Amino acid sequence: MTDPLDPVPDRLRRSATSTRRHRPGRPLRQPVRLGLLLAPALVVVGVFLLGGVAQALAQSFGYQPYLSGSHLSTDAYTALWTDPAVRASLLLTVRVAVLSTALSAVLAVAAALLIRRLGRGRAAITGLFQANLAVPHLVGALCMMLLLSQGGLLSRLAHLVGLTATPAAFPAITNDRFGVAIIAEYVWKETPFLTVLVLATLGRGAADLEAAARVLGARAVQRLRYVTLPLLAPALAGGSILVFAFAAGSYEVPYLLGRPYPATLPVVALQYFDDTDLTSRPQAMAVAALIAVLSGVAVAGYLLVVSRLSRRAL
Amino acid sequence: MIGSAAARSAGSGTAGSGTARTAGRRFGVVVLVGGALVPLVPLLVWAFAGQWRYPALVPQRMSLRGIGLLTDPRSEIPKALLTSTLIAVSVAVLAVVIGYPAGRAVGLYRFRGRRAVQFLLLAPVIVPGLASAVGLQVFFIRYGLADSATGVVLVQLIPTVPYAATVMAAAFANLDTDYERQARALGADPLRVLLFVTLPLMRPALLLAGLFAFLISWSEYVLTLLIGGGQVTTLPLLLFAAISSSDTTAAAALALLVIGPPLLLVLISGRLPATRSGAVIGLGRL
Amino acid sequence: MTATAITLTGLGKSFGMTDAVQDLSLELAAGSFTALLGPSGCGKSTTLSMLAGLTAPDRGDIHFDGASILDLPAERRPVGLVFQKPLLFPHLTVADNVGFGLRMRGMRSRDRARRVAEMLDRVQLGGLGERRVGELSGGQEQRVALARALVLEPDVLLLDEPFSQLDTTLRAQMRALLRRLHVDSGITTVFVTHDQGEAVEVADTIALMLAGTLAGHGTPESFYTRPETLAGARFFGVTNEITGRTRHGRFSAPGTAIDVSTDLPDGDAVLVIRPEMIQLEAQAGVVDGRRIGRVVGARFAGTHVSVDVELGHHRLRVHHPAGRPITIGQSIGVDLRQGAYTVFTTTGR
């Protein structure tokens, strides 16, 4: 099965004797050559990304580069741990990320199964979904505001059909405590992404396997449960991890569509970061480290789920 | 093969439930298309609205003021457009230049730790850039890279290099090195092989990788904010400010401008068969 | 379980403007092993698909033991189908693949395990139940596919070029296995192939399909000795066609001394004869049945010598036993024995 995080085809791994892989005599020896080829990219990832996170971690303990007399302590973490705002943020972030991911995944599977059966409309809808992928999340946030706010389009439609009399009568789903509009924006943007991913995974192969299952006596619901869903599960899991990680780490959308309190972790991180109080900087770093840990948990979860899925039997 | 024959006649299966199924399908399609398009409707209308008070469903007055702002030299928009474009193009070029050799290493060679390297190269896709940017900021200040477009370009390499490298790796895995060897046998030195054989063969992948990098950079907000320090004004920063202001028309018009290039590039790349298949995963990052 | 007889009546299926299958009528005896033979695109896979219920015919009917099965959806037909590609479920083990159909029927896990193990032994994959699909070779995969279909004890077994992706030696082994399984189970089997050598080797009867319709149905020998249609004869590799006319019960070819009796009506006709059925005798006078020709070419071909003989305006290809001397330019007697050839009418083509 193809791992969406590793699109290099399987045959690369299987062929042990392929002469294509043999490099003729070169001035540079292979490990050196490989090192040179990989160096720039690994510098970007290693130094910038991982180094940045490591720095955030270090600075969260009070380490201050370029300043003497920095003393290390866990004050920042203690402050965060005892701050109910941070706990509320963590809860909100996880809730928003989990709900958005779950909803998007379910909708994406349903959409993919539907689109698969379409004849001529299929290319058009897939094109529409791909166009949706091009819309930046920042714009999506604005769209949701204009659609879902109490003065927005939905509210006006509700007024039109007589459900509400004033803007305030329409439920406040933007800038609310629960994060409804935030979830809506993520679902709007990520469902097409996951749908296109699932469609690509099912491709041609799934139809053949379903035909085989049919002849073996599997009814439609059984085919879905025992053939189709297991086939798309790995790709869906991989894609869902990407969605979760993105939702947990995104800033613009929860800032614009949410509240300052409780805010998601990225928003809180920047709140502390911009704060002129000296003790806030390490706290900002700690929140950043927490965000990184959250994504790490997501990846660990993905690896666990994928390895369990590929070992599952009937 | 039988499977395709069965797929061809999928509609001619058991009768009776056919019409109910088609109706359900039509409804599903309407929901999908509607869901995808409806949120864009108020945006489109607001961009051309002069006055649009509650509870009107249509603006009381239309106006081209919002659109006019886009080209008005007195607004910061044209300048931000230039900045965004320059930065995005720089990021695209750099990301591809960095991703190309990494992709070649991962795609063409089998070595111990290859899996780990692939995983590592994808780390920025999982770990939010925000987490590392806050840690890096003090260094960028120290080296004079903060508050500058250069710094912004550098930090935007973090989310873009993974995509460039992954696209190139997939392309290299499909590259037949016999072409290069044939060129060498015909007397071309390594540079010529690169220029006249490899790069032309890699062109669709190079374009796709550049496209991804451009789109990611074009839409990037947080990294630009943190490293640019408010001095580097790209379109997303302006849009953010506009959204936070009360001028909805201006925000909507600006949003249309921000959507423009990504939409255009996606539509174009959708037409090119070689780039179509890879377009998916990268675009999700936006 | 008693074997099932299959009857196809007037079966037809079109895709857009093309008629994949036109008016196919065929009777397959209970317990028979029939090869559905034909070139690519002749409609044999579509026919199989209709038998399995994956495609609905536009015209005609299919009966199992006299009862129409068209109303039965694919998942309820007592049919086993082995495809060209094994189509094993990649997320399941070998045992789970084989037991899939049993699981769909609701059989309990313990009973399933027993039946699966038995079946795996029968296809010589005993003990490989816990292997994953990706660890199998091509031949093993097809055996799993076979086991998966047979474990359900279907009334009819359909195979769509199941061994075409395997190399030659493996194919021969798989054919032998299939024949053994057929002998043991007695299931009515339909085996689709485009390879006439394979059809001749594996099946009791051959149904030849050309351009969507039946062009012959009989034992393998009958296709060699008494082909039913000219197209069928050509498909089986007859290379000698002598055109002529039939008149008053006799066929004659101008320029040769060929004059044989036939019960075809008057008109244009062609006589076809296989290369190995022509006897060459050193000339010893014109005897009844012999004509005189001239050797114009001879090439050693392993088991025989391929001789080109000119007979009047016609050039014949003859497979002459190796070891009997032939010289180029030699006058030779060409013997067309009664029963060695067939005459077809070509009027109205």
Side-chain angles (χ1 to χ4, degrees):
Chain A
M1 296 305 299
T2 353
D3 180 347
L5 290 184
D6 179 13
V8 178
D10 267 0
R11 60 187 168 83
L12 178 61
R13 279 187 281 284
R14 271 203 231 146
S15 64
T17 56
S18 166
T19 52
R20 270 177 50 181
R21 305 289 159 244
H22 170 67
R23 310 293 295 175
R26 292 272 189 162
L28 291 170
R29 286 177 59 240
Q30 174 145 328
V32 179
R33 181 177 196 80
L34 277 179
L36 282 179
L37 288 176
L38 289 172
L42 287 181
V43 161
V44 169
V45 174
V47 173
F48 283 10
L49 180 78
L50 297 180
V53 173
Q55 270 299 316
L57 198 61
Q59 292 174 35
S60 69
F61 289 112
Y63 168 65
Q64 287 168 304
Y66 309 119
L67 278 177
S68 56
S70 53
H71 79 125
L72 303 180
S73 75
T74 56
D75 287 349
Y77 287 97
T78 329
L80 289 181
W81 182 247
T82 54
D83 186 352
V86 171
R87 277 200 228 142
S89 284
L90 182 60
L91 200 63
L92 175 69
T93 310
V94 172
R95 185 173 71 225
V96 164
V98 167
L99 282 178
S100 308
T101 308
L103 269 175
S104 303
V106 168
L107 285 176
V109 171
L113 292 179
L114 170 65
I115 295 176
R116 243 192 353 154
R117 306 225 181 289
L118 296 179
R120 285 174 308 157
R122 182 179 170 159
I125 295 209
T126 322
L128 185 66
F129 275 21
Q130 282 176 337
N132 172 295
L133 295 183
V135 175
H137 277 277
L138 195 50
V139 174
L142 178 58
C143 288
M144 287 302 152
M145 260 184 0
L146 299 178
L147 183 70
L148 300 174
S149 64
Q150 285 176 316
L153 190 62
L154 272 192
S155 168
R156 300 180 191 210
L157 281 173
H159 175 89
L160 183 72
V161 296
L163 282 175
T164 56
T166 63
F170 188 79
I173 46 182
T174 53
N175 306 115
D176 63 326
R177 300 186 64 91
F178 193 82
V180 176
I182 304 176
I183 296 175
E185 203 279 337
Y186 289 152
V187 170
W188 183 62
K189 278 280 298 170
E190 303 302 340
T191 303
F193 163 62
L194 290 178
T195 306
V196 179
L197 186 63
V198 169
L199 278 175
T201 309
L202 290 179
R204 282 274 150 78
D208 287 344
L209 287 172
E210 286 164 353
R214 230 184 132 186
V215 182
L216 290 167
R219 295 184 306 275
V221 173
Q222 289 177 314
R223 296 199 292 274
L224 184 67
R225 181 175 159 198
Y226 292 109
V227 180
T228 321
L229 288 181
L231 279 180
L232 55 85
L236 187 65
S240 298
I241 294 304
L242 294 183
V243 172
F244 180 90
F246 174 79
S250 153
Y251 176 80
E252 308 92 284
V253 175
Y255 183 94
L256 292 171
L257 292 177
R259 287 182 169 194
Y261 173 84
T264 60
L265 287 177
V267 177
V268 168
L270 252 68
Q271 281 173 349
Y272 280 124
F273 194 79
D274 290 335
D275 196 341
T276 46
D277 184 351
L278 275 177
T279 57
S280 296
R281 192 48 71 93
Q283 286 174 352
M285 298 298 164
V287 176
L290 184 58
I291 297 174
V293 165
L294 208 59
S295 323
V297 166
V299 172
Y302 162 75
L303 291 175
L304 209 70
V305 161
V306 160
S307 62
R308 242 199 66 208
L309 277 179
S310 50
R311 256 198 285 280
R312 189 175 70 176
L314 271 182
Chain B
M1 229 236 33
I2 286 198
S4 40
R8 264 188 294 174
S9 63
S12 55
T14 47
S17 53
T19 34
R21 210 180 290 153
T22 330
R25 240 173 253 171
R26 291 238 180 87
F27 176 72
V29 169
V30 167
V31 167
L32 281 183
V33 173
L37 291 178
V38 160
L40 291 168
V41 168
L43 182 76
L44 207 56
V45 180
W46 265 108
F48 295 93
Q51 192 189 64
W52 197 11
R53 295 240 184 85
Y54 179 92
L57 277 183
V58 176
Q60 286 95 355
R61 193 169 37 93
M62 305 287 277
S63 146
L64 285 178
R65 176 182 67 88
I67 306 299
L69 274 177
L70 297 181
T71 49
D72 186 349
R74 286 171 302 171
S75 76
E76 297 181 55
I77 296 177
K79 185 157 172 291
L81 177 61
L82 189 65
T83 312
S84 274
T85 311
L86 284 177
I87 291 182
V89 168
S90 310
V91 170
V93 169
L94 270 179
V96 171
V97 165
I98 293 177
Y100 177 92
R104 190 179 176 104
V106 169
L108 273 186
Y109 297 79
R110 286 170 66 229
F111 53 92
R112 262 192 345 191
R114 190 175 142 268
R115 214 44 180 119
V117 168
Q118 271 178 298
F119 200 71
L120 203 62
L121 284 176
L122 281 180
V125 174
I126 308 289
V127 179
L130 167 75
S132 52
V134 293
L136 286 177
Q137 201 226 28
V138 64
F139 292 95
F140 273 68
I141 294 179
R142 175 74 162 84
Y143 289 109
L145 291 170
D147 296 358
S148 77
T150 317
V152 171
V153 167
L154 280 181
V155 80
Q156 285 188 357
L157 288 178
I158 299 179
T160 50
V161 163
Y163 283 96
T166 307
V167 168
M168 297 314 305
F172 271 110
N174 285 320
L175 173 70
D176 191 346
T177 49
D178 285 342
Y179 286 117
E180 292 175 338
R181 274 190 246 149
Q182 177 71 281
R184 292 299 299 279
L186 289 169
D189 59 74
L191 181 63
R192 290 184 123 95
V193 172
L194 179 71
L195 285 178
F196 296 114
V197 178
T198 320
L199 287 182
L201 281 174
M202 289 282 116
R203 205 165 55 137
L206 288 170
L207 288 177
L208 189 66
L211 174 68
F212 283 173
F214 182 93
L215 294 182
I216 295 173
S217 165
W218 179 266
S219 319
E220 183 58 55
Y221 175 77
V222 169
L223 295 184
T224 316
L225 181 70
L226 280 173
I227 303 297
Q231 299 301 314
V232 179
T233 310
T234 57
L235 284 179
L237 259 71
L238 270 191
L239 181 57
F240 197 93
I243 296 176
S244 310
S245 78
S246 53
D247 193 349
T248 317
T249 304
L254 187 53
L256 286 185
L257 178 63
V258 173
I259 295 183
L263 207 57
L264 202 66
L265 287 172
V266 164
L267 288 176
I268 294 179
S269 79
R271 300 268 156 120
L272 306 171
T275 56
R276 203 180 286 151
S277 51
V280 177
I281 304 203
L283 291 179
R285 177 56 175 72
L286 293 179
Chain C
M1 185 199 61
T2 52
T4 306
I6 304 177
T7 315
L8 307 177
T9 18
L11 214 53
K13 178 73 185 176
S14 314
F15 294 107
M17 299 293 292
T18 3
D19 288 336
V21 179
Q22 310 181 30
D23 197 22
L24 181 65
S25 296
L26 189 55
E27 279 203 35
L28 302 173
S32 62
F33 193 131
T34 308
L36 194 54
L37 172 66
S40 327
C42 71
K44 41 193 210 300
S45 286
T46 312
T47 306
L48 223 58
S49 187
M50 287 191 279
L51 275 167
L54 293 173
T55 311
D58 294 331
R59 302 170 290 280
D61 204 343
I62 304 177
H63 290 81
F64 282 10
D65 283 341
S68 169
I69 55 154
L70 281 191
D71 286 336
L72 281 182
E75 47 267 34
R76 289 217 294 271
R77 290 200 191 178
V79 163
L81 179 48
V82 178
F83 300 78
Q84 209 164 1
K85 297 188 288 190
L87 292 186
L88 302 181
F89 304 119
H91 54 286
L92 302 177
T93 60
V94 164
D96 286 330
N97 262 281
V98 176
F100 187 85
L102 298 174
R103 169 77 188 238
M104 293 303 110
R105 287 184 185 170
M107 185 178 284
R108 278 203 330 234
S109 143
R110 220 173 325 138
D111 301 325
R112 280 203 322 263
R114 206 176 18 91
R115 294 270 287 265
V116 164
E118 272 168 18
M119 199 66 229
L120 283 176
D121 283 334
R122 282 178 68 191
V123 297
Q124 291 153 15
L125 287 177
L128 292 184
E130 289 314 302
R131 289 273 178 93
R132 306 213 64 87
V133 167
E135 302 166 23
L136 301 176
S137 69
Q140 289 173 323
E141 285 188 338
Q142 273 300 29
R143 274 183 276 163
V144 174
L146 204 50
R148 185 173 69 175
L150 285 174
V151 80
L152 295 173
E153 292 177 348
D155 291 345
V156 168
L157 180 64
L158 307 173
L159 305 114
D160 188 2
E161 304 201 48
F163 311 138
S164 57
Q165 316 257 356
L166 308 174
D167 65 59
T168 334
T169 9
L170 202 46
R171 286 174 83 155
Q173 290 170 2
M174 296 293 286
R175 286 198 292 265
L177 172 66
L178 188 59
R179 280 227 57 96
R180 277 202 303 279
L181 290 171
H182 176 252
V183 164
D184 289 341
S185 62
I187 301 181
T188 313
T189 305
V190 182
F191 183 99
V192 161
T193 179
H194 63 268
D195 181 342
Q196 34 146 223
E198 184 168 60
V200 166
E201 199 203 300
V202 80
D204 302 324
T205 34
I206 298 181
L208 177 65
M209 270 185 84
L210 295 172
T213 190
L214 197 63
H217 184 201
T219 63
E221 299 109 278
S222 69
F223 279 89
Y224 283 90
T225 56
R226 286 181 318 279
E228 286 176 37
T229 60
L230 180 58
R234 284 181 180 148
F235 184 84
F236 267 82
V238 79
T239 46
N240 297 311
E241 300 179 23
I242 303 174
T243 44
R245 287 190 60 81
T246 50
R247 212 163 176 287
H248 301 323
R250 295 203 72 80
F251 167 87
S252 56
T256 69
I258 294 178
D259 186 358
V260 296
S261 64
T262 167
D263 49 15
L264 290 177
D266 293 1
D268 297 322
V270 64
L271 182 147
V272 302
I273 183 163
R274 300 190 66 87
E276 61 269 18
M277 305 293 253
I278 304 178
Q279 312 270 8
L280 297 177
E281 299 282 333
Q283 179 187 5
V286 179
V287 187
D288 182 46
R290 283 196 215 155
R291 331 281 166 228
I292 304 302
R294 204 167 62 89
V295 175
V296 295
R299 224 182 71 249
F300 178 67
T303 50
H304 57 265
V305 178
S306 204
V307 183
D308 291 323
V309 177
E310 243 177 37
L311 189 68
H313 304 304
H314 301 275
R315 179 169 294 208
L316 299 176
R317 169 67 57 88
V318 183
H319 287 176
H320 190 66
R324 303 234 211 113
I326 282 277
T327 36
I328 302 199
Q330 177 183 359
S331 276
I332 197 116
V334 178
D335 198 346
L336 304 175
R337 296 252 174 79
Q338 175 77 286
Y341 54 82
T342 318
V343 184
F344 293 104
T345 180
T346 53
T347 315
R349 244 352 120 84

